[in-house]
Amino acid sequence: MEEIQSQSDLYRSSSSSASSPTNRVPSSHFFYVRKPGSLTQPISFEDSPEWEDSPADVRMDEEANIGGGGDSINDATATPISPSLSKINSGSMTSPPVPEGGAGNVVRKIAGASIAWKDLTVTMKGKRRYSDKVLKSSNGYALPGTMTVIMGPAKSGKSTLLRALAGRLTPSAKMYGDVFVNGSKSHMPYGSYGYAERKTQLIGSLTVREFLYYSSLLQLPGFLCQKRSVVEDAIQAMSLSDYANKLIGGGHCYMKGLRSGERRRVSIARELVMRPHILFIDEPLYHLDSVSTLLMMVTLKKLASIGCTLVFTIYQSSTEVFGLFDRICLLSNGNTLFFGETLACLQHFSNAGFPCPIMQSPSDHFLRAINTDFDRIIAMCKNWQDDNGDFSAVNMDTAVAIRTLEATYKSSADAASVETMIFKLTEREGSQLKSKGKAGAATRVAVLTWKSLLVMSREWKYYWLRLILYLILTLFIGTLYSGLGHSLSSVATRVAAVFVFVSFASLLGIAGIPSLLKEIKIYRSEASNQHSGASVFILGQFLGSIPFLFLISISSSLVFYFMVGLRDDFGLLMYFVLNFFMCLLVNEGLMLSIACVWRDVYWSTLTLISVHVIMMLAAGHFRIRNALPKPLWTYPFAYISFHTYSIQGLLENEYIGEVFAVGEVRSISGYEAIGGYYQIAADANSKWRNMLVLLAMAFGYRLIVYVLLRFGLNKNVSGRLLLCHRKNNS
């Protein structure tokens, strides 16, 4: 305690000198001593201007609506005011006015729900046992119509606490303690809450309204007119009316899109189409500038004013943004250093011996005191001097500050008031949150197909440019092998032309890897919120890709077929088109499966090139299949190479039934003529069997994708749901 007291005295003396009226200096004095007279009249946090009170500043009877619109908890109607808050000067900063909706716009209220957590501890699974405590005995609550912020330095447990409250912990994490929703331990059903990830995948080639409408079709059952109304409500709630018909951008369509602030609001609006009672947001200010940050927080304040319960994490904020928060949960290394009213947190730091200096943002002050990274900065600059003066004497150990703040909070009246409030919130169960239902599987497949077709029509870089590249490649191959004629001497060259066409056209399909990876990322984002499933995604992607792949197959096949001069028969031409179409379907499934394994452009491309080269070598052109070495090259490479079945079917289509003259009196069949160059079957139906093999491989690769998604990615989602159900049953 003597060490804590001495360090606290040192910090108090330095901060007091910085805060004294006679030595007012900017917040940078917190680290360095400035020259006198650099700033004569700074504005302190306590001197901040007062804003007029607006209707949004008055809480929507939060204590009377704790039950979420049903059976309220009458005993909790009188929320105890934080004891430390009463010590704050009444002239302190209040919240700025929240902008109302446009003229004539009526924002529908949202029935919020109370959430409380008691002795919440989360451990991560180590090599042998659960040992690493990420979160330690956290207590707190959030009420309808309020914003509760979880603040702390990096790796302090902010996101872990948020995921624990939302029931979205990974299977490697283990949770102890209780989470109450409306006074009950029951889990939050589908649609009752929303969760916005830090990095949400948006579809850049859709407009804001199209994207939200697409999300509503995936999430909600019911009629289309009802979904249009909730989309418009979400647009208005997140102040996106001016951007509703603009492309989101940020994709691969090279169209100017939204800025990061608007994109972040779109990701939150996607969760609002369900009209959730509780909204969890992980870092809503991630990568936002100061203007976008203030607009985001004012928009969230407006959202809270219509009844929604908001819980989100934040690293730090400006003074204006800090004034918008209702409650703050301050974490460091998994320990709760404070929970309560935001202004009471300033008094808590002052009571612990760490008052906030003049001209410093409260959040910056909090993080300066509890972030251990500052110890390294002080150690680096301990003996540093320059023209501005000596290094500041503020060199207190943050570990000591953390212990001081934690000990002060545990023994304070603030912690007691939190326990009292949690008791009142949990002593009686309120109304149970109900699931809002999901859209049917057929509806979601149709929506995903529509989305895929719309994206393909707009993102020219990975779709229309691929079509142009296919045509250019086919033209080069056609000119290279043009004018071959139909003589016996041209058989070997025709075999080479078909092999080159199938092999290089399939290899060119690798250009679609980035678009497939983007689709997988969007699926992962949707699946994490239970908006989509593995089977729905695969079927929608398959149906959506058919028109584009068929367009490639028919355009490329026509150019190659007539330039090389294959047999002039419509039936044979249609088989050629269908065979190449099946080849593209198989290649698309192969790319999708490898993209699911790596989820990285570089490794997916490298793997696909290697696989294609091996399949080309085993396809039977460089060496006839009967002559290939049995281990490895015949079994399994020759049999798993789709090039083999595609080339064999095309050559059987061209040469079965064909007759070549040898001299004046002798002739040989096409099967005999090609026998020395490629192994085919003499049966006329063999080409259709090869077509069926290609079709089976197309479905087989997508079955592999289903397994990878269902038991890879979705394992985490289903594991979280299973843990929630087991916890409720216990």
Side-chain angles (χ1 to χ4, degrees), residues 479-495:
T479 54
L480 181 65
Y481 291 99
S482 62
L484 295 180
H486 293 275
S487 64
L488 184 62
S489 60
S490 66
V491 172
T493 310
R494 285 174 179 270
V495 171

Side-chain angles (χ1 to χ4, degrees), residues 538-552:
I538 293 172
L539 190 55
Q541 193 275 339
F542 175 73
L543 295 176
S545 64
I546 286 178
F548 176 70
L549 295 180
F550 187 76
L551 181 61
I552 290 179

Side-chain angles (χ1 to χ4, degrees), residues 575-640:
Y575 177 87
F576 192 99
V577 172
L578 289 177
N579 182 291
F580 186 55
F581 172 66
M582 289 296 172
C583 182
L584 293 179
L585 281 180
V586 175
N587 191 40
E588 192 86 358
L590 174 62
M591 291 193 300
L592 192 59
S593 60
I594 292 179
C596 287
V597 172
W598 289 113
R599 298 174 187 171
D600 178 79
V601 174
Y602 174 78
W603 290 108
S604 297
T605 303
L606 184 64
T607 303
L608 276 169
I609 292 176
S610 303
V611 170
H612 272 273
V613 169
I614 293 175
M615 288 184 175
M616 290 164 60
L617 293 175
H621 171 66
F622 297 105
R623 191 173 183 183
I624 297 179
R625 289 177 61 188
N626 288 338
L628 287 174
K630 297 300 181 184
L632 195 63
W633 286 104
T634 301
Y635 308 104
F637 288 160
Y639 283 92
I640 65 175

Side-chain angles (χ1 to χ4, degrees), residues 125-381:
K125 189 175 183 180
K127 295 182 178 180
R128 296 185 178 180
R129 59 187 177 86
Y130 290 90
S131 57
D132 188 9
K133 288 187 178 181
V134 182
L135 192 65
K136 306 169 187 176
S137 300
S138 178
N139 296 319
Y141 60 90
L143 301 178
T146 64
M147 294 198 307
T148 302
V149 58
I150 304 171
M151 183 182 292
K155 298 181 180 180
S156 60
K158 303 187 300 294
S159 298
T160 301
L161 175 57
L162 194 72
R163 288 193 296 266
L165 297 179
R168 297 167 64 95
L169 289 173
T170 60
S172 61
K174 192 170 183 179
M175 186 181 77
Y176 304 90
D178 300 309
V179 177
F180 301 87
V181 180
N182 281 348
S184 166
K185 290 185 181 180
S186 61
H187 76 288
M188 290 177 286
Y190 174 80
S192 63
Y193 76 99
Y195 191 96
E197 298 279 358
R198 180 183 306 175
K199 296 181 180 180
T200 304
Q201 291 295 325
L202 304 177
I203 305 176
S205 53
L206 300 182
T207 65
V208 172
R209 182 173 279 111
E210 287 172 344
F211 177 74
L212 296 179
Y213 186 55
Y214 156 76
S215 298
S216 67
L217 291 174
L218 277 183
Q219 300 177 46
L220 295 171
F223 300 102
L224 299 181
C225 58
Q226 297 174 342
K227 297 177 182 180
R228 289 193 180 97
S229 65
V230 298
V231 167
E232 296 304 321
D233 288 343
I235 290 175
Q236 183 179 345
M238 294 309 297
S239 304
L240 291 168
S241 300
D242 295 338
Y243 310 96
N245 296 318
K246 291 185 178 180
L247 289 174
I248 295 175
H252 307 291
C253 50
Y254 284 109
M255 297 180 182
K256 186 177 180 180
L258 305 180
R259 293 175 297 180
S260 57
E262 287 87 24
R263 289 173 57 85
R264 196 71 177 103
R265 298 209 302 276
V266 170
S267 66
I268 298 174
R270 181 178 71 170
E271 303 303 321
L272 292 181
V273 298
M274 292 291 292
R275 295 188 63 81
H277 303 286
I278 305 174
L279 181 59
F280 302 97
I281 311 174
D282 192 7
E283 295 284 358
L285 309 182
Y286 186 69
H287 282 178
L288 300 188
D289 56 35
S290 58
V291 176
S292 300
T293 293
L294 184 58
L295 180 58
M296 168 68 77
M297 296 313 302
V298 171
T299 303
L300 292 179
K301 188 70 174 179
K302 182 179 70 172
L303 178 61
S305 70
I306 63 176
C308 187
T309 305
L310 293 180
V311 183
F312 54 89
T313 63
I314 193 173
Y315 180 75
Q316 66 185 75
S317 67
S318 63
T319 304
E320 294 86 355
V321 170
F322 182 83
L324 293 171
F325 304 149
D326 293 296
R327 292 180 185 84
I328 180 173
C329 178
L330 191 61
L331 299 177
S332 180
N333 297 326
N335 299 298
T336 302
L337 305 186
F338 179 81
F339 182 90
E341 306 289 339
T342 51
L343 293 180
C345 190
L346 286 169
Q347 186 64 38
H348 168 66
F349 269 71
S350 180
N351 294 339
F354 311 110
C356 182
I358 295 174
M359 283 296 295
Q360 186 165 15
S361 168
S363 64
D364 290 341
H365 173 63
F366 299 158
L367 294 178
R368 168 62 185 88
I370 65 176
N371 194 342
T372 56
D373 291 337
F374 282 103
D375 290 340
R376 295 198 296 267
I377 299 176
I378 292 175
M380 291 169 55
C381 304

